[in-house]
Amino acid sequence: MTDLDVPVLRATVAPRREGLRLLVVTGPRWARAVADLAAALTVLSLVAVAFVDGVAVAVFALVLLGLVVARLVAAPAPLQAATGAVLLLVAWAAVLSGYERVPWLDVVAHVGATGVLAAVAVVGITRARLLQVPAGPRGGIGLAVVTVAVGLALAVLWELGEWYGHTYVDDGVGVGYEDTIGDLAAGGLGAVLAGLVLARSAARERRRAVRGPR
């Protein structure tokens, strides 16, 4: 088994796509449907808040950016579906003051969003061949460790964004020592879960490749 020879990470899972075809999701029908629906709802949400709240516009613009990146790196369709659903829910919870009404929702948001974004980032890194994942258990462990590192970096960037928003945009954005540490811990947990999922998916695909088609 060669490096990256698993569908979830393989750099050449499909013929090279150009133009708008880069944004086409390939994979199970249900996952394509969810990913496309999430993308459409994100665009509609962005339009809906365009003339109401500048902060909300920024939030949904970031969600749309995440979905576009997931498509550009050709992340697996189930991952794109999860990314779209999670980010859209996180964004609407922020816009509708859900985190103020339900305190524990913030923890769930950081776990879920950091997890899916870390997974998308690692898939992109491996498919760009910036990271080589060897076959075998050590490759899975290394993949999980890298995913955790990437997720923690994204969690730090998230907190920097919250600090910037609180300082220069809207002082209603929640910040503080306990909030920041809690968010980083939640983001780290999400990254750990994402790393385990990627490592398990890679191991499963390797086993299928070894057994061959039935």
Side-chain angles (χ1 to χ4, degrees), residues 145-213:
V145 170
V146 170
T147 305
V148 172
V150 171
L152 288 174
L154 291 174
V156 170
L157 291 176
W158 188 334
E159 294 309 302
L160 288 174
E162 287 190 350
W163 167 83
Y164 181 88
H166 173 83
T167 305
Y168 297 105
V169 180
D170 182 358
D171 59 9
V173 177
V175 294
Y177 180 78
E178 292 186 359
D179 178 78
T180 298
I181 295 301
D183 291 348
L184 290 175
L189 175 59
V192 169
L193 295 176
L196 293 176
V197 170
L198 284 182
R200 182 176 179 181
S201 297
R204 183 171 60 248
E205 294 298 343
R206 288 192 182 99
R207 289 195 296 268
R208 289 177 180 174
V210 170
R211 291 196 299 265

Side-chain angles (χ1 to χ4, degrees), residues 67-84:
L67 301 189
V68 170
V69 170
R71 295 199 178 208
L72 290 178
V73 302
L79 177 55
Q80 291 197 44
T83 301

